[in-house]
Amino acid sequence: MAQKPSIPKGTRDFSPLEMIRRNYIFDTIRNVFLNYGYQPIETPAMENLSTLTGKYGEEGDRLLFKILNSGDFLKKTNLDDFANPNINNITSKICEKGLRYDLTVPFARYVVQNRNDITFPFKRYQIQPVWRADKPQKGRYREFYQCDVDVIGSNSLINEVELILIIDEVFVKLGINTTIKINNRKILSGIAEIIGEADKIIDITIAIDKLEKIGLEKVNEELEAKGLSQDAIDSLQPILNLEGLLKDKFPKLMEILADSEVGMKGIYETMTVLKHLKELNLKNKWSLDLTLARGLNYYTGAIIEVATDDMKIGSICGGGRYDDLTGIFGLPDVSGVGISFGADRIYDVMNELDLFPKEGLQTSQAMLVNFGSEEEKYCLKILKEIRDKGISAELYPDSAKMKKQMKYADQKSIPFVILIGVEEMESGLFTLKNMSTGEQQKVDMDQLIKILKK
RNA sequence: GUGGAUGUAGCUCAGUUGGUUAGAGUACUAGAUUGUGGUUCUAGGUGUCGCCGGUUCAAAUCCGGUCUUCCACCCCA
């Protein structure tokens, strides 16, 4: 054998069984999206690098897959570029395209580009793969599918509520127990403002986000390392320690954030959303989590993240509101909010917990045994009649040994085998074999159809 | 990007302190069964021991590099 072929790191092939299960996830999610009035779009796998860079933070830029210019990709470079190599400088000269990192930024670009043809508020869903040059591990791939729903051009908090309803419905349908965590970037901004470190908002949120994972002490260490003053860290403590019931949390928060306009706005927004949720009887658990931060830079309002309690795999759904994503592309004052389901992680969870429906592979309902060229001709006509009745059927393509043909039907779990040889051709009857019981009977076309239709 | 583990038949895995010809199960192919699958029996390919290099009389085994997969960090779906 020659060199074994392989696929790039972090990418995967999907077998027929895996595809059936993946499609089950996609179909379930898509149907919920449609039910809530969202419409599909697709965008290209690659975008201009200028569309992508700077939208995801420093880490995000590092994880962008860049595409080498076609043709003589060195023609814009000169010897000086290589004498004192600067990766960013060289990259900008040899790459002008990149693979999409998520679906939200391309969506914002789409909205700006098509603004005259879009009726706002625009509710769209999009199910496509995205690529990240990350180091693969469990639940982390370099190519994976996101299922995004966003509504853009509406400030109403009803949108947030509806998106959370979608989350609840999708995971009920898939049978996954989840906790939906909700927070608001404005609250986080307010906190940063109150402790006098407004410019360090990103460092603060990233550190706070780790609270559950590494504990209060380590978080404080990290804050100190990022250059926060001891005073600021001290005044942050009451917030980090804020636990208990919702009705207790809010008054305390309002007290702390009373002097911050943004902070108060964030509290108002969050309270409005949570009030609605209380009325709506969600099946999944949900909670206000002040430590939820989310790394993506463009969020400005509500932020949402969903994890399952039954498996350690990170978040399986996340999103939030972004007020100025289209502004970057030249269309200001259009706010959007959306969430993204991670289909591949959802697959891993369902696989681990054995949540897929038990139906096996979809196969033909019946297989006709191939006895030779005369029988083949006869069988093709029979086959057409069967298929015209809406029954999936196939003829074994070669007149191989009976044993081989039976084995094929057995392994593909085809429930019925039809034998048509010389004898059957003369009598006009078919020999029908039930593969699970092993029983055989002679039937005419009407009886055959009747049995196969069951 | 940092640190750690891993790689042997298509698949799941054995393989002793370096030692001569590399193993089991399963899957696969043929036959027992020329118009009958699953169970059974028999016979058989199962192989660059991830890849490249080094040490040695001798390397699956020791050393270095590289790639893959997995784990932790970072970050994220």
Side-chain angles (χ1 to χ4, degrees), chain A residues 1 3 54 79 120 202 213 232 235 290 296 315 326 353 366 384 391 401 425:
Chain A
M1 198 180 4
Q3 194 94 49
L79 282 177
F120 293 98
I202 291 176
K213 205 167 179 181
S235 47
L290 294 173
L296 291 176
S315 61
T326 58
L353 303 178
K384 184 161 183 351
I391 297 162
K401 281 186 184 150
M425 283 168 68

Side-chain angles (χ1 to χ4, degrees), chain A residues 226-452:
Chain A
K226 292 287 181 189
L228 261 77
S229 70
Q230 195 57 50
D231 277 359
I233 295 175
D234 287 345
S235 47
L236 195 58
Q237 300 310 303
I239 298 159
L240 295 180
N241 286 311
L242 202 61
E243 287 186 9
L245 299 169
L246 274 180
K247 63 175 169 44
D248 301 329
K249 272 186 194 170
F250 278 112
K252 279 184 202 157
L253 253 186
M254 288 169 87
E255 210 173 290
I256 296 168
L257 295 179
D259 292 333
S260 165
E261 199 184 320
V262 223
M264 290 307 284
K265 192 149 189 274
I267 292 175
Y268 162 75
E269 286 181 11
T270 308
M271 281 178 76
T272 307
V273 171
L274 296 191
K275 257 188 218 159
H276 277 110
L277 292 184
K278 266 189 188 164
E279 306 284 317
L280 288 166
N281 249 327
L282 299 200
K283 306 277 193 312
N284 288 280
K285 296 189 288 287
W286 55 272
S287 64
L288 169 67
D289 185 346
L290 294 173
T291 69
L292 173 62
R294 295 190 59 75
L296 291 176
N297 278 353
Y298 49 68
Y299 292 124
T300 52
I303 43 184
I304 301 163
E305 192 165 287
V306 184
T308 176
D309 320 317
D310 302 332
M311 189 177 162
K312 203 188 152 202
I313 195 169
S315 61
I316 52 179
C317 178
R321 180 171 286 275
Y322 40 92
D323 283 334
D324 206 30
L325 203 44
T326 58
I328 301 166
F329 299 119
L331 181 63
D333 302 321
V334 178
S335 180
V337 57
I339 50 169
S340 178
F341 292 83
D344 301 79
R345 283 189 180 171
I346 291 173
Y347 179 97
D348 289 342
V349 169
M350 293 184 67
N351 203 31
E352 176 91 11
L353 303 178
D354 201 19
L355 296 176
F356 286 108
K358 289 288 171 266
E359 299 149 33
L361 279 175
Q362 244 185 338
T363 58
S364 300
Q365 179 72 0
M367 186 200 81
L368 278 68
V369 172
N370 188 327
F371 283 110
S373 55
E374 279 306 306
E375 291 88 341
E376 234 174 55
K377 242 194 285 174
Y378 188 86
C379 281
L380 281 173
K381 279 188 245 162
I382 304 297
L383 194 55
K384 184 161 183 351
E385 269 186 71
I386 297 174
R387 285 172 175 161
D388 284 350
K389 291 280 193 292
I391 297 162
S392 62
E394 61 186 288
L395 168 65
Y396 195 86
D398 306 290
S399 81
K401 281 186 184 150
M402 178 79 118
K403 177 173 172 135
K404 194 171 171 143
Q405 300 192 38
M406 294 300 283
K407 198 165 182 178
Y408 170 85
D410 185 43
Q411 288 190 334
K412 269 187 85 178
S413 305
I414 295 173
F416 292 98
V417 166
I418 300 167
L419 297 97
I420 304 173
V422 190
E423 190 189 317
E424 284 85 354
M425 283 168 68
E426 276 170 10
S427 66
L429 295 173
F430 316 123
T431 300
L432 178 68
K433 178 173 173 116
N434 180 325
M435 290 297 278
S436 54
T437 63
E439 282 167 27
Q440 258 176 231
Q441 56 180 316
K442 296 256 166 154
V443 295
D444 62 22
M445 182 56 97
D446 288 347
Q447 290 170 301
L448 181 72
I449 298 297
K450 224 169 135 190
I451 294 172
L452 293 184

Side-chain angles (χ1 to χ4, degrees), chain A residues 78-91:
Chain A
N78 55 52
L79 282 177
D80 288 348
D81 294 331
F82 298 98
N84 297 301
N86 173 304
I87 288 295
N88 289 332
N89 177 38
I90 296 177
T91 306

